[in-house]
Amino acid sequence: MKAIIIGGVAAGMSAASKIKRSDPSAEVTVYERGNFLSYGACGLPYYIGGFNQDYKKLIARSREQFEKTGIETHLDHTVLSVNAKAKTVEIRNNGNGEVFQDRYDKLLIAVGCNSAIPPIKGIENEGVVFLKSMEDGLVLQQLATSKLTEECLIVGGGYIGVEMAEAFTALGKKVTLIESAPRILMPFEPEVAELAKTELIRQGVKVITGEQVQEIKSDGSGRMVETNRSRYKTDLILVATGVMPATSFLESTGIRMDRNGAIIVDREMRSSISDIYAAGDCAVTFNKIMEEDYFLPLGTVANKCGRIAGANIAGNHEKFVGALGSAAIKVFDLELARTGMSEADADRLGIEYKTKIVTTYDHPGYYPDQSEILIKLIYEKGTYILLGASAAGKKNAVLRTNIFALAIHNKMTTKELGMVDLAYAPPFAGVWDAVHIAANAAK
C-alpha cells in the first residue's frame, strides 16, 4: 500500500507515524511545502520573544528520525494538483522548479492553513509580516530583535496577536494592537476577554478595538497605518487576522469543502472522494458538545485527527470522538482557558441555558501566594448539564478548565461535578476546590 501525505507538520506526521506503526510494510511518502517537519508552530511567539533561544527546540521529531522508520520525506515540495481518478498528485520541487507526478493508493491532505490576508491597501509593503510557519517565525525574530525596530503594531487581537504583543513587549518594544471587532479574543467569553485586555494595558500595550485598518503606507522614514478613525506610525507591522485552509489547489477535484475551504470529512477522516482523507487545520472537525462539524484550527485537534487518519489509512475504522474547542492562552501574568459552548453558541443552537460567574481562589489564604480565579459556567436549564466553561487567573486556571472539559466530554451535570472527589492540600486547593465552588453555585 502506497500512502502519500501532503503536509508534514502536526496532522501529517502524526498520520505518517501511525501508518508505519500499524503497517510496517506500507510505503509512506510525505510532501511538505516548507523546510521543516513536525514543529510546534504554537511555540513561535515564545521563540521570537526570547523565552526560548533555540528554534530547533520547537521541532518534535527530526527528518532523520522519521526516515529511520521508513517514512520518505520531501521538503520544499509543493503539491500543485490532485487527479482523483488516476490517483496521482502533481508536485513541484521548489528548489529546482522540476514538476513531476507520484501515484498513491491512499492520500491524506494535511496542508494546514495560510494566513488570512485582509483587504488592506498596501498590505504587500515592506515591513508587513505574517506568522504562520517556521520560516515566518525565523524572519520575524530577526526583524523584531533588530535595533531599528522600536515600535511594533499588530493587526488582529486573536491568539497570535495577543501572544505576540507579549513577545514584542518582552523584547522592549512599544506595542500597539488593533482589533476590528468590539473586543479581543473573540472565542472567549466577554468577561474573560476583558480581563485579558486589562492585563495587556497594564503591561504597556496600547489596545484599540472596534477600529478597522484600511491602508498601510511605507517609505524611508517608516510605516504608517491608517484606520477608519486614526493613523499610527510604527516600524514593524504584524498582520494576525486569522487563517484560511490552504486547499485552493483541490478546487478541480470536486472534493466537498466548507465555505471557507475546509475539507468536509466524516469522523474517520474520510473525504467525499474515495481513498482521500483529510485532517488538521485544513479540515472540519466534529464538535462533540454541539454535535456538528466545526472549524477548529488547533494543534491538539490536528494531532488527534492525524493519528486517526493514519490508523484508518492502514485499514482500521477508528472514529474521532469529537473536540470541545478547548483552548488556553497566556497573557503576561494572566492565564485564560475555555472549553465547550459559548453563550453565543448556545443562543445559535436555541438551547435554554443559564450562566454563573464566580470569583474564588486557587488555595486557602493561610498558605502563601493565594490567587484569584474567575470562572464562568454555561449549563442547560433544568438538566444542569454543563455546556461550557471559562476561567482566568494568575495561576492554575488552565488546568482547572481541563477538569471542566472532562465533565463536558462526559455530559456531567454541575451537581455531579460539585461533588467529585478532587485532591486537596493547602498548597494546591481548598477542601472545596474552585471547580467545586463554581459548579455548586450553578443552580
Side-chain angles (χ1 to χ4, degrees):
M1 189 268 290
K2 167 71 176 290
I4 288 179
I5 296 173
I6 309 175
V9 189
M13 299 318 293
S14 291
S17 298
K18 184 63 176 179
I19 293 169
K20 290 300 289 186
R21 289 196 301 270
S22 302
D23 181 5
S25 67
E27 184 181 349
V28 180
T29 302
V30 177
Y31 292 103
E32 164 57 39
R33 58 179 172 166
N35 292 290
F36 300 90
L37 293 173
S38 191
Y39 61 89
C42 296
L44 288 170
Y46 304 106
Y47 164 67
I48 295 165
F51 300 93
N52 161 32
Q53 303 291 334
D54 184 3
Y55 73 88
K56 293 178 183 177
K57 290 182 178 180
L58 302 179
I59 299 172
R61 201 174 179 196
S62 70
R63 183 181 191 183
E64 291 72 25
Q65 288 174 309
F66 283 115
E67 296 204 332
K68 280 182 181 179
T69 68
I71 299 169
E72 181 182 332
T73 63
H74 298 273
L75 299 179
D76 203 21
H77 279 63
T78 300
V79 173
L80 303 175
S81 63
V82 173
N83 186 328
K85 289 183 179 179
K87 287 193 168 183
T88 60
V89 293
E90 186 179 49
I91 306 118
R92 181 182 66 236
N93 180 332
N94 297 324
N96 58 23
E98 176 193 0
V99 176
F100 62 96
Q101 288 189 341
D102 198 357
R103 190 183 183 284
Y104 64 86
D105 296 307
K106 305 282 186 179
L107 176 67
L108 172 65
I109 301 165
V111 291
C113 287
N114 294 323
S115 295
I117 302 177
I120 298 172
K121 187 177 179 181
I123 199 168
E124 72 286 348
N125 286 347
E126 184 182 355
V128 180
V129 293
F130 296 82
L131 181 59
K132 185 66 185 70
S133 66
M134 179 75 87
E135 287 86 349
D136 292 338
L138 296 177
V139 170
L140 183 49
Q141 192 270 345
Q142 292 294 314
L143 292 172
T145 55
S146 169
K147 292 181 180 179
L148 298 177
T149 301
E150 296 180 356
E151 297 186 30
C152 300
L153 186 144
I154 302 165
V155 182
Y159 293 100
I160 295 298
V162 170
E163 288 171 345
M164 283 305 304
E166 180 174 354
F168 288 144
T169 302
L171 295 174
K173 312 302 178 182
K174 183 178 178 182
V175 182
T176 300
L177 185 150
I178 301 176
E179 167 57 54
S180 61
R183 67 176 193 267
I184 62 170
L185 296 174
M186 288 297 290
F188 287 82
E189 292 296 288
E191 300 88 348
V192 175
E194 186 62 28
L195 291 177
K197 179 180 178 180
T198 300
E199 177 66 7
L200 286 166
I201 294 170
R202 188 179 77 86
Q203 296 285 350
V205 178
K206 185 175 183 180
V207 181
I208 300 159
T209 55
E211 200 161 317
Q212 185 76 47
V213 175
Q214 296 179 331
E215 184 173 359
I216 297 170
K217 295 179 179 180
S218 180
D219 57 34
S221 62
R223 282 97 198 170
M224 184 70 70
V225 173
E226 294 188 358
T227 72
N228 58 330
R229 295 181 183 174
S230 189
R231 57 177 57 188
Y232 307 89
K233 190 176 183 303
T234 189
D235 301 309
L236 178 66
I237 301 162
L238 170 65
V239 178
T241 53
V243 293
M244 294 291 289
T247 55
S248 59
F249 71 101
L250 298 169
E251 290 175 356
S252 63
T253 64
I255 196 168
R256 286 186 65 216
M257 292 189 276
D258 208 344
R259 287 179 297 177
N260 70 342
I263 300 166
I264 296 173
V265 294
D266 63 17
R267 290 169 67 181
E268 293 188 7
M269 305 301 123
R270 289 178 165 84
S271 77
S272 60
I273 298 179
S274 178
D275 296 325
I276 298 181
Y277 298 71
D281 293 357
C282 66
V284 299
T285 300
F286 179 70
N287 189 299
K288 181 176 173 63
I289 186 65
M290 291 190 276
E291 298 184 342
E292 62 183 10
D293 288 336
Y294 220 64
F295 181 56
L296 287 172
L298 299 170
T300 49
V301 174
N303 278 280
K304 292 183 182 79
C305 292
R307 179 177 177 144
I308 289 171
N312 295 337
I313 286 170
N316 296 310
H317 288 278
E318 295 185 9
K319 286 184 169 60
F320 181 50
V321 68
L324 298 174
S326 303
I329 186 171
K330 177 180 177 290
V331 186
F332 290 94
D333 294 335
L334 190 68
E335 57 181 64
L336 282 63
R338 54 95 54 216
T339 186
M341 288 189 197
S342 64
E343 279 202 67
D345 292 325
D347 285 334
R348 177 177 59 82
L349 294 171
I351 296 172
E352 288 193 73
Y353 68 93
K354 297 177 74 175
T355 66
K356 188 65 181 181
I357 299 175
V358 302
T359 300
T360 182
Y361 298 93
D362 65 332
H363 63 249
Y366 56 78
Y367 188 84
D369 199 26
Q370 185 190 55
S371 180
E372 281 191 352
I373 298 178
L374 180 143
I375 296 173
K376 178 177 180 178
L377 301 185
I378 301 168
Y379 55 102
E380 190 172 33
K381 188 176 180 180
T383 68
Y384 298 96
I385 292 173
L386 188 61
L387 302 174
S390 303
K394 288 188 175 180
K395 52 188 174 68
N396 299 321
V398 170
L399 292 181
R400 282 183 167 89
T401 306
N402 283 339
I403 298 175
F404 292 123
L406 187 61
I408 295 169
H409 184 95
N410 288 289
K411 297 186 176 180
M412 292 178 67
T413 67
T414 57
K415 293 180 179 180
E416 290 172 322
L417 184 56
M419 294 300 287
V420 166
D421 188 18
L422 300 178
Y424 154 68
F428 311 111
V431 290
W432 292 100
D433 187 83
V435 170
H436 291 133
I437 292 169
N440 287 328
K443 299 176 181 178

